PDB file of all heavy atoms in Angstrom:
ATOM      1  N   GLN A 513      48.528  24.482  -4.778  1.00 73.00           N
ATOM      2  CA  GLN A 513      48.480  24.945  -6.109  1.00 73.00           C
ATOM      3  C   GLN A 513      47.607  26.185  -6.303  1.00 73.00           C
ATOM      4  O   GLN A 513      47.729  26.909  -7.282  1.00 73.00           O
ATOM      5  CB  GLN A 513      47.932  23.832  -7.110  1.00 73.00           C
ATOM      6  CG  GLN A 513      48.834  22.589  -7.116  1.00 73.00           C
ATOM      7  CD  GLN A 513      50.179  22.906  -7.657  1.00 73.00           C
ATOM      8  OE1 GLN A 513      50.325  23.518  -8.726  1.00 73.00           O
ATOM      9  NE2 GLN A 513      51.289  22.450  -6.972  1.00 73.00           N
ATOM     10  N   ALA A 514      46.743  26.454  -5.382  1.00 79.00           N
ATOM     11  CA  ALA A 514      45.808  27.593  -5.455  1.00 79.00           C
ATOM     12  C   ALA A 514      45.657  28.211  -4.052  1.00 79.00           C
ATOM     13  O   ALA A 514      44.572  28.143  -3.474  1.00 79.00           O
ATOM     14  CB  ALA A 514      44.531  27.195  -6.071  1.00 79.00           C
ATOM     15  N   PRO A 515      46.701  28.753  -3.493  1.00 89.00           N
ATOM     16  CA  PRO A 515      46.733  29.202  -2.071  1.00 89.00           C
ATOM     17  C   PRO A 515      45.644  30.276  -1.822  1.00 89.00           C
ATOM     18  O   PRO A 515      45.062  30.301  -0.789  1.00 89.00           O
ATOM     19  CB  PRO A 515      48.088  29.715  -1.824  1.00 89.00           C
ATOM     20  CG  PRO A 515      48.635  30.031  -3.169  1.00 89.00           C
ATOM     21  CD  PRO A 515      48.069  29.058  -4.099  1.00 89.00           C
ATOM     22  N   MET A 516      45.427  31.204  -2.772  1.00 91.00           N
ATOM     23  CA  MET A 516      44.502  32.314  -2.473  1.00 91.00           C
ATOM     24  C   MET A 516      43.039  31.837  -2.505  1.00 91.00           C
ATOM     25  O   MET A 516      42.222  32.354  -1.787  1.00 91.00           O
ATOM     26  CB  MET A 516      44.685  33.449  -3.498  1.00 91.00           C
ATOM     27  CG  MET A 516      46.068  34.148  -3.348  1.00 91.00           C
ATOM     28  SD  MET A 516      46.493  34.671  -1.637  1.00 91.00           S
ATOM     29  CE  MET A 516      45.146  35.733  -1.275  1.00 91.00           C
ATOM     30  N   ARG A 517      42.805  30.771  -3.223  1.00 89.00           N
ATOM     31  CA  ARG A 517      41.388  30.171  -3.220  1.00 89.00           C
ATOM     32  C   ARG A 517      41.187  29.582  -1.824  1.00 89.00           C
ATOM     33  O   ARG A 517      40.087  29.707  -1.279  1.00 89.00           O
ATOM     34  CB  ARG A 517      41.237  29.180  -4.339  1.00 89.00           C
ATOM     35  CG  ARG A 517      41.152  29.775  -5.719  1.00 89.00           C
ATOM     36  CD  ARG A 517      40.618  28.728  -6.679  1.00 89.00           C
ATOM     37  NE  ARG A 517      40.674  29.255  -8.049  1.00 89.00           N
ATOM     38  CZ  ARG A 517      40.151  28.572  -9.096  1.00 89.00           C
ATOM     39  NH1 ARG A 517      39.617  27.402  -8.931  1.00 89.00           N
ATOM     40  NH2 ARG A 517      40.284  29.090 -10.317  1.00 89.00           N
ATOM     41  N   VAL A 518      42.197  28.815  -1.333  1.00 92.00           N
ATOM     42  CA  VAL A 518      42.003  28.232  -0.026  1.00 92.00           C
ATOM     43  C   VAL A 518      41.864  29.306   1.009  1.00 92.00           C
ATOM     44  O   VAL A 518      41.032  29.181   1.897  1.00 92.00           O
ATOM     45  CB  VAL A 518      43.238  27.272   0.249  1.00 92.00           C
ATOM     46  CG1 VAL A 518      43.102  26.730   1.611  1.00 92.00           C
ATOM     47  CG2 VAL A 518      43.354  26.221  -0.772  1.00 92.00           C
ATOM     48  N   LEU A 519      42.686  30.327   0.906  1.00 94.00           N
ATOM     49  CA  LEU A 519      42.654  31.374   1.945  1.00 94.00           C
ATOM     50  C   LEU A 519      41.367  32.165   1.919  1.00 94.00           C
ATOM     51  O   LEU A 519      40.815  32.532   2.984  1.00 94.00           O
ATOM     52  CB  LEU A 519      43.826  32.366   1.653  1.00 94.00           C
ATOM     53  CG  LEU A 519      44.349  33.166   2.842  1.00 94.00           C
ATOM     54  CD1 LEU A 519      44.998  32.258   3.872  1.00 94.00           C
ATOM     55  CD2 LEU A 519      45.359  34.223   2.413  1.00 94.00           C
ATOM     56  N   ALA A 520      40.850  32.313   0.734  1.00 95.00           N
ATOM     57  CA  ALA A 520      39.474  32.972   0.656  1.00 95.00           C
ATOM     58  C   ALA A 520      38.398  32.111   1.355  1.00 95.00           C
ATOM     59  O   ALA A 520      37.538  32.700   1.974  1.00 95.00           O
ATOM     60  CB  ALA A 520      39.115  33.252  -0.841  1.00 95.00           C
ATOM     61  N   GLY A 521      38.529  30.840   1.222  1.00 94.00           N
ATOM     62  CA  GLY A 521      37.583  29.926   1.923  1.00 94.00           C
ATOM     63  C   GLY A 521      37.789  30.015   3.435  1.00 94.00           C
ATOM     64  O   GLY A 521      36.744  30.036   4.202  1.00 94.00           O
ATOM     65  N   VAL A 522      38.991  30.123   3.850  1.00 93.00           N
ATOM     66  CA  VAL A 522      39.233  30.264   5.307  1.00 93.00           C
ATOM     67  C   VAL A 522      38.654  31.536   5.824  1.00 93.00           C
ATOM     68  O   VAL A 522      38.130  31.632   6.958  1.00 93.00           O
ATOM     69  CB  VAL A 522      40.773  30.223   5.623  1.00 93.00           C
ATOM     70  CG1 VAL A 522      41.062  30.508   7.083  1.00 93.00           C
ATOM     71  CG2 VAL A 522      41.344  28.834   5.247  1.00 93.00           C
ATOM     72  N   GLY A 523      38.765  32.620   4.997  1.00 94.00           N
ATOM     73  CA  GLY A 523      38.257  33.897   5.434  1.00 94.00           C
ATOM     74  C   GLY A 523      36.710  34.022   5.294  1.00 94.00           C
ATOM     75  O   GLY A 523      36.148  35.056   5.684  1.00 94.00           O
ATOM     76  N   GLY A 524      36.062  32.967   4.772  1.00 94.00           N
ATOM     77  CA  GLY A 524      34.610  33.049   4.594  1.00 94.00           C
ATOM     78  C   GLY A 524      34.140  33.827   3.377  1.00 94.00           C
ATOM     79  O   GLY A 524      32.978  34.190   3.303  1.00 94.00           O
ATOM     80  N   VAL A 525      35.048  34.082   2.457  1.00 94.00           N
ATOM     81  CA  VAL A 525      34.680  34.834   1.196  1.00 94.00           C
ATOM     82  C   VAL A 525      35.217  34.072   0.013  1.00 94.00           C
ATOM     83  O   VAL A 525      36.029  34.560  -0.733  1.00 94.00           O
ATOM     84  CB  VAL A 525      35.207  36.278   1.247  1.00 94.00           C
ATOM     85  CG1 VAL A 525      34.394  37.166   2.171  1.00 94.00           C
ATOM     86  CG2 VAL A 525      36.696  36.356   1.691  1.00 94.00           C
TER      87      VAL A 525
END
Side-chain angles (χ1 to χ4, degrees):
Q513 297 298 310
M516 293 312 300
R517 288 194 186 185
V518 177
L519 205 65
V522 174
V525 283

